[in-house]
Amino acid sequence: MLSDKIVLAHGSGGTLMRTLIEELFVEQFADPELKRMDDAATLAVAGSRIAMSTDTYVVSPIFFPGGDIGRLAVCGTVNDVATSGAVPLYLSVGFILEEGLPIADLKRVLVSMSEAAAEAGVRIVTGDTKVVEHGHGDGVYINTTGVGVLAGDTERGAANCKPGDRVLLSGTLGDHGIAVVSQREGLAFSTDIRTDAAPLNHLVANVIEAAPAARCFRDPTRGGLASALNELAVASGVSIVVEESAVPVRAQVQGACEMLGYDVYQVANEGKMIAVVPAEQTEAALEAMKRSPYGEDAAIIGVVEEASPGKVYVNTRFGSTRIMDMLVGEQLPRIC
Amino acid sequence: MLSDKIVLAHGSGGTLMRTLIEELFVEQFADPELKRMDDAATLAVAGSRIAMSTDTYVVSPIFFPGGDIGRLAVCGTVNDVATSGAVPLYLSVGFILEEGLPIADLKRVLVSMSEAAAEAGVRIVTGDTKVVEHGHGDGVYINTTGVGVLAGDTERGAANCKPGDRVLLSGTLGDHGIAVVSQREGLAFSTDIRTDAAPLNHLVANVIEAAPAARCFRDPTRGGLASALNELAVASGVSIVVEESAVPVRAQVQGACEMLGYDVYQVANEGKMIAVVPAEQTEAALEAMKRSPYGEDAAIIGVVEEASPGKVYVNTRFGSTRIMDMLVGEQLPRIC
């Protein structure tokens, strides 16, 4: 049920955002691609197939340990395009600048964007700039939209997971969310936790080369691993069982989550990729991840099952099993 | 020369915005497509050519006579893609919602977007939603990014104008800008001036069919006819001479401009297209415009000349000639 006004939790990546998207956007725009609710649309263009994805970045503050809104804006959209299995080629960029923003800050953000684009191997080809009065923005908001090209006809959407598949994660959870919140709140305990924001298109391409039957990819951003896996479980009509002891989390991040009352499975990541692969290609996919940039801590974290479709479970370190729920309400507003 | 902070005029469509784009964005991103400074990039994808364009819409207020931010967000980007000669196919949409926005307002905007997309024949295929705290947005900001397909190899960029070409305009100037400012300021004199926001992709396709050698298209949005023609003159290294008496302007709009101290050539339009065509195809192009939706008031307004490259002149009704300057400073902030 929708409320009558927008609240922060409508942007959380959790259940309220999902309701808003399903009941309002998907309903009104009524497009089959939108309805799939994948991170990227896959589209026919003159006999070829392209992937297209968009994200607006409103992270606060715009500079944080290990990165800034510019690096985030390039990596986030590159990764969303890559989840479809496409090779990202082109980015557009739309800026909303707030009156009073220091030009030096804007330059710093642009340098980050250039560097991240060069690393990902994508071109920034078109742009737009709007300025709003002081008090109607927050320094800078950035939209990037990415286009990539798909080789072959393989669909790697969220609905492709099958019982028996394995779930891989490319590295440690929670770094981005904790880095931003520590900067925002001036928390001393986490001074060396840095964002993981990184372009993962090369990692995805390596996994597809090693494991051509890879079912799907998803990057666990807003709403964290919990939202991403729940979306896969619902879209595929399967359940997913995660082994807590197999999920890589830095001790400092785990400590920060406990202190702040966050569930690390619900904290945003900006440089991690989930891959679901058939059992027989699991080892090849894991090896490919591990030898890719940003994949050294990759691990097999779970398995896809037939029973209880739409549910995600965690086998805890203590031998019990609990449900891994999507975020309800808002945990960390403006994390990306 | 750049100042050290962002000011509203950096978003004006005038000279300060051009300086910001040239000295900062084009310089830093260093991409040949960006450097062309056309409204859309034209790009190779798997043996095909696509066009891509992005725009963020921050118009205030979000509802105004004849339209709203939703209609604007679809039409503006469809038109930018169409300026390249491409057939627009797909749109992404990124929302920044301000906490407290009534859901009913958002629904109204979405309905407008759906209707405009249906009229243009484009699909909204992927999206993103962010929410910012009250006081860090203004109801709703929308980014749309469009992708279209280009048939053939013809380049119709801003650098293509040649001496002897004719300049066509698809209809009356200034309607959008005056409609928004009248709503914003509660001006009683202009109650029946409505935005011209409209999708012009069918009009452009009709002109190309009738005048295949059409050099280029541009929609005179922020900065108005003056910015658009100056950009063409600079990019092509030509001058453009406009006949004031040939430029269609509604009497009410002209009156409002005089009262408010605006130059109608610098006021934003959202449903008008400039076409530059070789002399011998002028009549065919004009007829095609006139029989297209939104083209009934089309007119031949000027000619391209070799002398004084980069300048735009107006032959006034009084027999004198003056320079048609780009906007300096800010005239109407947040007009689109």
Side-chain angles (χ1 to χ4, degrees), chain B residues 37-62:
Chain B
M37 296 191 64
D38 278 325
D39 285 342
T42 58
L43 307 164
V45 170
S48 308
R49 279 210 314 152
I50 65 168
M52 184 177 187
S53 187
T54 193
D55 247 324
T56 306
Y57 299 85
V58 299
V59 65
S60 169
I62 61 173

Side-chain angles (χ1 to χ4, degrees), chain A residues 6 44 90 100 128-129 136 141, chain B residues 6 44 55 90 100 128 136 141 222:
Chain A
I6 291 293
Y90 304 116
D128 177 58
T129 307
H136 288 300
Y141 298 148
Chain B
I6 290 293
D55 247 324
Y90 304 115
D128 177 58
H136 288 300
Y141 299 148
R222 269 184 298 176

Side-chain angles (χ1 to χ4, degrees), chain A residues 23-264:
Chain A
E23 294 189 7
L24 217 56
F25 300 121
V26 174
E27 180 80 13
Q28 182 58 48
F29 294 147
D31 192 274
E33 271 306 307
L34 211 56
K35 204 167 184 173
R36 288 200 302 123
M37 295 191 66
D38 277 324
D39 285 344
T42 58
L43 307 164
V45 169
S48 307
R49 277 208 318 153
I50 64 168
M52 183 177 188
S53 188
T54 194
D55 247 324
T56 306
Y57 299 86
V58 299
V59 65
S60 170
I62 62 173
F63 301 106
F64 41 82
D68 60 33
I69 191 172
R71 181 166 174 85
L72 211 58
V74 169
C75 297
T77 296
V78 161
N79 294 347
D80 281 343
V81 171
T83 58
S84 67
V87 174
L89 296 175
Y90 304 116
L91 289 184
S92 66
V93 54
F95 294 97
I96 299 177
L97 308 177
E98 187 189 17
E99 190 184 15
L101 174 73
I103 299 272
D105 285 359
L106 180 57
K107 276 191 187 163
R108 209 175 135 191
V109 169
L110 297 183
V111 170
S112 286
M113 293 186 80
S114 293
E115 289 173 354
E119 187 185 348
V122 298
R123 290 170 51 192
I124 296 172
V125 292
T126 191
D128 177 58
T129 307
K130 293 294 188 304
V131 180
V132 294
E133 308 88 337
H134 182 68
H136 288 300
D138 198 5
V140 54
Y141 298 148
I142 305 177
N143 175 280
T144 51
T145 303
V147 166
V149 65
L150 281 149
D153 291 330
T154 313
E155 276 289 348
R156 301 188 199 270
N160 284 355
C161 306
K162 294 190 173 47
D165 289 349
R166 298 299 191 267
V167 180
L168 279 67
L169 177 65
S170 66
T172 55
L173 283 188
D175 305 58
H176 174 73
I178 297 302
V180 172
V181 78
S182 69
Q183 177 73 18
R184 194 189 292 171
E185 309 291 346
L187 302 179
F189 62 80
S190 52
T191 43
D192 51 357
I193 300 174
R194 299 160 64 85
T195 178
D196 58 352
L200 300 175
N201 49 324
H202 303 308
L203 179 145
V204 171
N206 290 346
V207 171
I208 290 175
E209 198 187 350
R215 309 286 192 198
C216 68
F217 296 88
R218 185 155 291 215
D219 56 333
T221 55
R222 266 183 300 175
L225 184 75
S227 278
L229 293 186
N230 272 282
E231 286 167 11
L232 297 183
V234 168
S236 294
V238 297
S239 61
I240 295 175
V241 181
V242 170
E243 289 299 324
E244 187 173 67
S245 60
V247 180
V249 182
R250 290 182 208 284
Q252 276 183 307
V253 170
Q254 186 63 53
C257 283
E258 281 165 14
M259 192 177 309
L260 296 163
Y262 297 156
D263 178 346
V264 74

Side-chain angles (χ1 to χ4, degrees), chain B residues 23-81:
Chain B
E23 294 189 9
L24 216 56
F25 299 121
V26 175
E27 181 80 13
Q28 182 59 49
F29 294 146
D31 192 274
E33 272 305 306
L34 210 57
K35 203 167 186 175
R36 291 201 300 123
M37 296 191 64
D38 278 325
D39 285 342
T42 58
L43 307 164
V45 170
S48 308
R49 279 210 314 152
I50 65 168
M52 184 177 187
S53 187
T54 193
D55 247 324
T56 306
Y57 299 85
V58 299
V59 65
S60 169
I62 61 173
F63 301 106
F64 42 81
D68 60 35
I69 192 172
R71 181 166 175 84
L72 212 58
V74 170
C75 296
T77 295
V78 162
N79 294 347
D80 281 343
V81 171

Side-chain angles (χ1 to χ4, degrees), chain B residues 116-181:
Chain B
E119 187 186 347
V122 298
R123 290 170 51 191
I124 296 171
V125 293
T126 191
D128 177 58
T129 307
K130 293 293 189 303
V131 179
V132 295
E133 307 89 335
H134 182 69
H136 288 300
D138 198 3
V140 54
Y141 299 148
I142 305 177
N143 176 281
T144 51
T145 303
V147 166
V149 66
L150 282 148
D153 291 330
T154 313
E155 275 288 348
R156 301 186 200 271
N160 284 356
C161 307
K162 295 191 174 47
D165 289 348
R166 298 298 191 270
V167 180
L168 279 67
L169 177 65
S170 65
T172 55
L173 283 188
D175 305 59
H176 175 72
I178 298 302
V180 173
V181 77

